[in-house]
Amino acid sequence: MYAIVDLQMKVLIALLAAALMGVPQGAVAHEGEDHSKKKAGPVKKEQKAWGIAGEAGAAERSVELVMTDSMRFTPDKIEIRQGETVKFVVKNGGKMMHEMVIGNKKELDEHAALMMKFPAMEHDEPYMTHVAPGEVGELVWTFNRSGDFDFACLIAGHYQAGMVGKIKVVATEKSDGHGKAHKH
Ligand SMILES: [Cu+2]
């Protein structure tokens, strides 16, 4: 919830600033800015329902994904053990911009609706990576909470076309003493 409020605030501030400067609405978000470039500065470490930003050096595992213009992620189902820090290496195999955004259904729904309203909205958080055609993006995330999560491309229309995937974070024995981990 907090993140969306935050996003709405950002949009509001951007619109307000634009109104004050007499800039037309369509031109608000990042003119001439390279969308794929990460901003410099320390990574925001905010605990989310689906985990927390990870340090690149701490990644124990890397998962490669490919995004295509057929609005699909491959793979679209990923299983992770609770506590794992995963580096996602995300290739854009298409001819249009795509992105991978991790979240839960509720937040992704809300965020996707905002992206439809403001397609040029600037959004950049440690749980997302925007990837230009033919490029590879990276995202390092620590899954410190178990549960079923989602990831998606929130570029206007892509989410609606089904560009989504599932992440299952399996509780480790330590944090979940109910025998869930006796699979193998
Ligand atoms: Cu996309």
Side-chain angles (χ1 to χ4, degrees), residues 88-142:
F88 293 94
V89 180
V90 191
K91 182 171 173 53
N92 184 347
K95 290 192 164 60
M96 53 180 96
M97 191 82 190
H98 292 290
E99 62 189 12
M100 179 191 190
V101 183
I102 305 173
N104 55 27
K105 178 92 169 54
K106 185 174 179 290
E107 293 220 7
L108 290 173
D109 277 351
E110 289 172 358
H111 192 160
L114 266 178
M115 290 294 283
M116 284 300 270
K117 260 194 223 160
F118 308 104
M121 181 177 78
E122 184 181 343
H123 66 159
D124 196 12
E125 300 287 345
Y127 49 86
M128 57 178 74
T129 180
H130 320 286
V131 191
E135 305 270 301
V136 176
E138 283 186 4
L139 143 54
V140 180
W141 192 251
T142 300

Side-chain angles (χ1 to χ4, degrees), residues 7-171:
L7 274 169
Q8 282 167 337
M9 277 306 290
K10 277 183 203 162
V11 171
L12 207 68
I13 290 164
L15 290 176
L16 218 65
L20 287 173
M21 297 184 303
V23 177
Q25 276 202 12
V28 174
H30 62 98
E31 307 154 49
E33 215 179 280
D34 185 350
H35 204 165
S36 63
K37 228 176 252 165
K38 287 271 177 204
K39 267 172 254 138
V43 179
K44 256 193 274 170
K45 281 216 163 193
E46 190 191 338
Q47 178 67 53
K48 294 289 188 182
W50 54 93
I52 190 161
E55 305 285 350
E60 297 125 324
R61 183 181 159 194
S62 82
V63 171
E64 290 181 23
L65 284 111
V66 179
M67 307 185 287
T68 60
D69 293 345
S70 52
M71 305 297 164
R72 290 295 177 268
F73 289 98
T74 309
D76 63 358
K77 286 189 181 65
I78 300 163
E79 193 170 302
I80 290 161
R81 290 175 64 86
Q82 186 179 4
E84 256 186 329
T85 296
V86 178
K87 177 165 94 174
F88 293 94
V89 180
V90 191
K91 182 171 173 53
N92 184 347
K95 290 192 164 60
M96 53 180 96
M97 191 82 190
H98 292 290
E99 62 189 12
M100 179 191 190
V101 183
I102 305 173
N104 55 27
K105 178 92 169 54
K106 185 174 179 290
E107 293 220 7
L108 290 173
D109 277 351
E110 289 172 358
H111 192 160
L114 266 178
M115 290 294 283
M116 284 300 270
K117 260 194 223 160
F118 308 104
M121 181 177 78
E122 184 181 343
H123 66 159
D124 196 12
E125 300 287 345
Y127 49 86
M128 57 178 74
T129 180
H130 320 286
V131 191
E135 305 270 301
V136 176
E138 283 186 4
L139 143 54
V140 180
W141 192 251
T142 300
F143 293 89
N144 59 355
R145 302 233 169 130
S146 62
D148 290 301
F149 305 108
D150 299 85
F151 61 95
C153 176
L154 298 182
I155 289 174
H158 294 203
Y159 185 66
Q160 291 76 9
M163 196 161 180
V164 295
K166 297 261 170 217
I167 293 178
K168 186 177 194 62
V169 181
V170 181

